[in-house]
Amino acid sequence: LISVTIQDGVTSIGKYAFSKCSGLISVTIPDSVTSIGNYAFYNCSKLTSVTIPNSVTSIGEAAFYECTSLEKIVVDSGNTVFDSRDNCNAIIETASNTLIFGCMNTIIPNSVTAIGREAFYGCSITEAVIPSGVTKISNSLFEMCTELSHIELPNSITSIGIMAFKSCSRLTEIDLPESLQTIADYAFSECSRLQNVRCHATVPPTCNKIFYKTPEDMIIRVPAESLELYR
């Protein structure tokens, strides 16, 4: 197991720089770094914490993808582009109030209005509570979150993206809010233990192929007055 201190004066961490460094447990990023590239820390499965300095203004796609042991994410308070408001253990794009990366100890602040694609992909979270300002569950948002067993969706969610909950194999039940209008393809594929789905929308959400294979004995509950519409 190793800890890495990046030399002061380095201005960027390139694509795949530490990708699949399975022994990396911590990294110190100096104030000279302004950008973190795509997949920079991809699948650093033992990385437990990371601090984003004030100087960082760009964080690439999937920079912390599949960092399954990540417990703490902190953005220095002087950063003008990103923040970790309310000690949330996440990276939030300040101007848009969009949470772009989370970890197992993330508490999503109520001020967050959007959650980016794959923000929790492969994360070892057990439960998630989405605040009421969020309207969309992005593509692959919780994909491969194999420990996720409880999710709370607010009555502001209008759409669930492609493979949003794919392979959430511990998820046994879910309440879909009245506000829901669309469910994209394979949103719940490989959710092998999903047994109880409660959909509160009186108008059935538009959907096509929610599952690769529908879980056995799954029960879908819908409003009584909308039963024929759902059929």
Side-chain angles (χ1 to χ4, degrees), residues 51-55 74-85 94:
T51 299
I52 306 299
N54 297 338
S55 54
V74 176
V75 179
D76 280 346
S77 59
N79 193 303
T80 59
V81 177
F82 304 106
D83 68 81
S84 293
R85 66 191 69 169
T94 304

Side-chain angles (χ1 to χ4, degrees), residues 81-115:
V81 177
F82 304 106
D83 68 81
S84 293
R85 66 191 69 169
D86 305 328
N87 298 313
C88 63
N89 277 313
I91 301 174
I92 297 170
E93 187 178 64
T94 304
S96 64
N97 292 315
T98 299
L99 190 151
I100 60 171
F101 289 109
C103 69
M104 67 173 69
N105 291 328
T106 294
I107 299 174
I108 305 174
N110 289 330
S111 55
V112 165
T113 56
I115 302 174

Side-chain angles (χ1 to χ4, degrees), residues 12-39:
S12 66
I13 299 173
K15 293 181 181 179
Y16 297 96
F18 295 94
S19 174
K20 298 185 180 180
C21 289
S22 58
L24 183 65
I25 58 171
S26 68
V27 60
T28 301
I29 302 173
D31 280 331
S32 56
V33 170
T34 60
S35 66
I36 299 173
N38 297 347
Y39 296 88

Side-chain angles (χ1 to χ4, degrees), residues 2-228:
I2 58 172
S3 298
V4 170
T5 299
I6 298 173
Q7 185 177 356
D8 192 23
V10 172
T11 59
S12 66
I13 299 173
K15 293 181 181 179
Y16 297 96
F18 295 94
S19 174
K20 298 185 180 180
C21 289
S22 58
L24 183 65
I25 58 171
S26 68
V27 60
T28 301
I29 302 173
D31 280 331
S32 56
V33 170
T34 60
S35 66
I36 299 173
N38 297 347
Y39 296 88
F41 295 93
Y42 163 65
N43 201 17
C44 289
S45 57
K46 290 186 174 62
L47 184 65
T48 58
S49 66
V50 64
T51 299
I52 306 299
N54 297 338
S55 54
V56 171
T57 58
S58 173
I59 301 176
E61 178 185 355
F64 299 98
Y65 191 88
E66 291 193 38
C67 291
T68 54
S69 298
L70 197 57
E71 299 175 347
K72 184 176 182 180
I73 306 178
V74 176
V75 179
D76 280 346
S77 59
N79 193 303
T80 59
V81 177
F82 304 106
D83 68 81
S84 293
R85 66 191 69 169
D86 305 328
N87 298 313
C88 63
N89 277 313
I91 301 174
I92 297 170
E93 187 178 64
T94 304
S96 64
N97 292 315
T98 299
L99 190 151
I100 60 171
F101 289 109
C103 69
M104 67 173 69
N105 291 328
T106 294
I107 299 174
I108 305 174
N110 289 330
S111 55
V112 165
T113 56
I115 302 174
R117 176 179 177 176
E118 300 175 348
F120 290 94
Y121 185 105
C123 187
S124 294
I125 57 172
T126 58
E127 62 179 75
V129 178
I130 308 299
S132 59
V134 176
T135 60
K136 179 180 180 180
I137 301 298
S138 302
N139 294 351
S140 298
L141 178 57
F142 295 103
E143 184 176 349
M144 293 298 296
C145 289
T146 56
E147 301 298 316
L148 182 65
S149 59
H150 179 71
I151 178 77
E152 292 184 22
L153 303 177
N155 197 33
S156 56
I157 296 294
T158 59
S159 64
I160 295 176
I162 297 169
M163 298 189 291
F165 295 94
K166 182 178 181 290
S167 299
C168 290
S169 54
R170 290 186 182 272
L171 193 64
T172 59
E173 60 181 7
I174 190 167
D175 271 33
L176 302 178
E178 186 178 357
S179 54
L180 186 62
Q181 298 173 9
T182 60
I183 305 174
D185 287 354
Y186 306 119
F188 295 97
S189 63
E190 299 180 26
C191 291
S192 56
R193 299 183 186 178
L194 188 59
Q195 296 293 308
N196 294 296
V197 177
R198 291 175 289 272
C199 192
H200 297 278
T202 53
V203 177
T206 301
C207 58
N208 186 18
K209 300 175 182 178
I210 299 176
F211 305 98
Y212 287 129
K213 180 181 179 181
T214 305
E216 294 182 5
D217 302 321
M218 188 177 70
I219 297 172
I220 301 177
R221 293 178 171 85
V222 302
E225 65 272 25
S226 303
L227 183 58
E228 289 305 315

